Structures are given as C-alpha cells and as structure tokens.
Amino acid sequence: MGKRIPEPYRHLRTFAFGDSPALADELVELVIKGIKTATCSTEDEPNTSTPGERWVVLDGRGEPRCVIESVDVTYRRFNEVDAAFAYEEGEGDRSLAYWRRAHQSYFGRLGRYSDDMMLMCERFRLVEVFGDSPPEGSFELTEPGG
C-alpha cells in the first residue's frame, strides 16, 4: 500500500505534473528542492487553479509527495511567456529557449500546440513535503548558527 495523504490535506484535489511517470517524478523533485515555483497548462484543462488554492502533488506512481499553494494565476499566449516565468518553471537550464522547446514538445504530444495558444500560468509556493526524510539537497539546522 502506498503513502496516505496526511489528514489535514485529504480534502484537497490531487494532480501530477507532466504526461508520464518519469516526467511527474522529475518535476515534483524540482518543486521539493525549491527550484520549480511555477507551472502552466492549457486554459481549458480541468486542473485550473485560483490564488490561495492548495493541491497535493503526486509522483509518477501516484504517491502524494507535497502540498503547493497557488500564489498567482495569469493567462497569456504561448508566445507571450517571458524569461522570468520560464526561469520560475525551473526546468532544464531555466532559459526561455529551453522552456519553449520543452513545452512545444509537451503540448505537441497532447495534440494541443499552437504558437498563440492560451495558457494558464501559475506561480505557487511549497507548503509541506511529505515523508520521513528531508529531500535530497536540503539541510537541517542542527544548532544555532550551524
């Protein structure tokens, strides 16, 4: 049996990033490490969000890994996404060129890509990471000033 969602978060909607287990794992790790603080989706996707809404993020096996909270949601066309947003998405080298290639490929696999497609661009913050051990690359303060 897999991990259970902690009681305070069982009422929240769940989702996984990407369109494959491997991509879901890669992207949730970026969130847990604090690198990925934004995401986008097509404007008509069922996982649209509103500021203040919290979500349980699942990994590629459908296991709950963390909770995020939407901070800001804007709508813009694919070709209007800027370098700052691409950087906050945290993928690859974090450049706009990388973002465009990766997302053209992703939306193309979904049969949805066009250069002027409308996207829901969401910024979020990490609320809580689930699990017994700290994520890789994190640190624990063991003594004052340590």
Side-chain angles (χ1 to χ4, degrees), residues 33-110:
K33 291 175 181 175
I35 296 168
K36 182 174 183 62
T37 59
T39 193
C40 69
S41 58
T42 56
E43 66 175 331
D44 58 349
E45 207 170 286
N47 284 342
T48 57
S49 192
T50 55
E53 186 172 3
R54 290 183 171 186
W55 295 79
V56 173
V57 184
L58 308 174
D59 65 17
R61 294 167 306 288
E63 299 286 342
R65 294 294 308 280
C66 63
V67 173
I68 61 171
E69 180 180 328
S70 296
V71 174
D72 180 60
V73 177
T74 59
Y75 290 85
R76 60 184 107 166
R77 302 213 174 269
F78 183 92
N79 57 12
E80 295 170 344
V81 170
D82 60 17
F85 189 82
Y87 183 84
E88 292 170 359
E89 279 230 30
E91 300 169 35
D93 66 5
R94 302 179 84 172
S95 69
L96 181 57
Y98 181 92
W99 183 93
R100 285 185 173 149
R101 283 191 309 274
H103 285 79
Q104 182 176 2
S105 176
Y106 171 75
F107 290 122
R109 289 192 305 271
L110 301 179

